[in-house]
Amino acid sequence: MNKKEILLSIIIPCLNEEDFVGNLLEDLCNQSIRNFEVIVVDGKSVDNTKIVLQKFTNKFEKLTIIESEIRNVSVQRNLGAKISKGKYLLFIDADTRIGEEFLSALVFKLEVDNPDLFTTWFYSSYSVSYSIYAYFASLLYLISYALKRPNSPGCLFGIKNSVFLSLSGFNKKIEFAEDRDLVQRAVRSGYKF
């Protein structure tokens, strides 16, 4: 792959995320790889989200901040995907945290497996109860995959840009489980999860 090519377009939908989005953006600044772009799609936040976002404009080579006229996570994700340049789209919720080798490990796995769409195991560091919930939620996604009924959490979901376009993206009429709908449409169409 050419070093100038963008492998990952990281799309972050935001709505009043001043307490969280800065942590995720800091995590992205600390990644060991650089061939990615970050697209934040804000749904007209009324808190200090925009101020937090502005603090990161000079920390990334490729950071785009756009505002969505519509407060809808599917619409916001689709807007980000529309301007993306990466081979893969990685949708990450603003309150998510990632380790500094996360993208490096993910890229390695993508190059080995070449999936059309994917998710990752996740955990919580907030509290024991959140950690237990995250463990069982990850286990549930793994079981659904083993049963040939794959599913994915929207908080951390990836898909080839070309596949996303072929499926016309997220259904903007679905405001809950829009990620599940997209995964199911992709699998029914024969794409590799």
Side-chain angles (χ1 to χ4, degrees):
M1 172 173 295
N2 183 328
K3 288 199 181 246
K4 297 259 184 211
E5 283 183 294
I6 297 172
L7 180 62
L8 295 168
S9 293
I10 299 167
I11 300 168
I12 306 167
C14 265
L15 180 60
N16 300 325
E17 300 286 355
E18 70 177 311
D19 293 334
F20 303 105
V21 71
N23 292 327
L24 174 57
L25 291 173
E26 195 63 48
D27 290 347
L28 289 168
C29 285
N30 294 326
Q31 293 301 297
S32 60
I33 65 165
R34 305 302 312 142
N35 59 339
F36 64 90
E37 67 177 339
V38 177
I39 302 167
V40 179
V41 185
D42 184 59
K44 293 193 171 189
S45 293
V46 295
D47 66 354
N48 291 318
T49 296
K50 292 174 192 162
I51 293 168
V52 173
L53 294 175
Q54 288 305 312
K55 292 178 183 177
F56 286 89
T57 55
N58 295 325
K59 291 187 177 188
F60 287 96
E61 185 179 325
K62 300 172 195 89
L63 172 65
T64 304
I65 302 168
I66 59 177
E67 189 169 84
S68 173
E69 294 297 318
I70 300 171
R71 287 181 170 179
N72 174 302
V73 70
S74 294
V75 169
Q76 289 173 248
R77 288 177 179 156
N78 288 343
L79 280 173
K82 186 175 181 180
I83 65 166
S84 66
K85 296 175 180 67
K87 177 180 178 180
Y88 284 97
L89 306 176
L90 180 59
F91 299 96
I92 305 180
D93 282 358
D95 61 351
T96 303
R97 300 293 309 265
I98 58 174
E100 64 185 46
E101 294 300 322
F102 176 78
L103 292 182
S104 177
L106 178 61
V107 166
F108 174 78
K109 197 72 173 136
L110 293 175
E111 289 173 349
V112 169
D113 294 343
N114 192 30
D116 295 312
L117 58 159
F118 60 90
T119 190
T120 67
W121 192 269
F122 58 98
Y123 71 95
S124 173
S125 60
Y126 291 119
S127 68
V128 172
S129 59
Y130 275 107
S131 294
I132 292 169
Y133 168 78
Y135 174 81
F136 282 107
S138 291
L139 193 58
L140 182 63
Y141 289 119
L142 188 61
I143 291 168
S144 71
Y145 174 77
L147 295 173
K148 309 248 187 274
R149 297 184 57 82
N151 199 350
S152 177
C155 64
L156 196 57
F157 167 73
I159 187 168
K160 281 184 178 172
N161 204 332
S162 58
V163 173
F164 188 82
L165 289 172
S166 75
L167 296 168
S168 301
F170 289 99
N171 182 339
K172 64 184 179 184
K173 293 179 182 173
I174 299 176
E175 293 188 32
F176 181 75
E178 73 288 341
D179 40 10
R180 182 172 186 253
D181 169 73
L182 183 60
V183 170
Q184 289 178 348
R185 285 189 286 128
V187 170
R188 279 195 307 269
S189 297
Y191 292 111
K192 179 182 171 188
F193 182 82

